[in-house]
Amino acid sequence: MKSVQDALYNWLTIHIVAKARPHDAAARDTASFFRAILENDFGVTAVDAVKDETNGQYIVEYVRGGETKAARFPLELAEAMWRQIEAEPEKYG
């Protein structure tokens, strides 16, 4: 990953899938993988996402270097992977 923003986006997209599909071990494992990248490569010690439907975005709050920061991602973009899986579940067993 080139930037913390890229890593946050990748974590968020699979985090959304893992939350929507708690039985999906691959999604959980992949979310953990991206969480580890955030920790190990970018020094992120905490991360959480909140869906803000009013403004059409996800707000990802994270702690880096002892400072709380936030990144915003459009709902459509962040939920694209999950929507594709839901539309074609036979491809994602």
Side-chain angles (χ1 to χ4, degrees):
M1 297 291 122
K2 291 187 176 188
S3 70
V4 70
Q5 189 83 3
D6 289 342
L8 288 168
Y9 171 74
N10 287 328
W11 170 81
L12 175 61
T13 59
I14 196 63
H15 172 75
I16 291 166
V17 173
K19 283 186 73 174
R21 299 169 51 94
H23 62 281
D24 189 335
R28 285 192 317 271
D29 292 347
T30 305
S32 293
F33 171 76
F34 282 111
R35 176 82 161 91
I37 288 173
L38 285 166
E39 291 173 0
N40 299 329
D41 294 359
F42 298 101
V44 171
T45 58
V47 63
D48 195 21
V50 176
K51 185 176 183 177
D52 178 2
E53 291 191 55
T54 303
N55 294 308
Q57 62 187 358
Y58 276 87
I59 301 168
V60 177
E61 291 187 348
Y62 61 102
V63 177
R64 185 177 188 205
E67 185 179 340
T68 300
K69 300 179 179 193
R72 290 166 167 56
F73 299 94
L75 283 175
E76 297 164 1
L77 186 62
E79 293 181 347
M81 181 187 304
W82 171 67
R83 291 187 189 284
Q84 182 174 350
I85 290 168
E86 290 297 304
E88 301 177 281
E90 67 281 356
K91 291 184 178 179
Y92 306 93

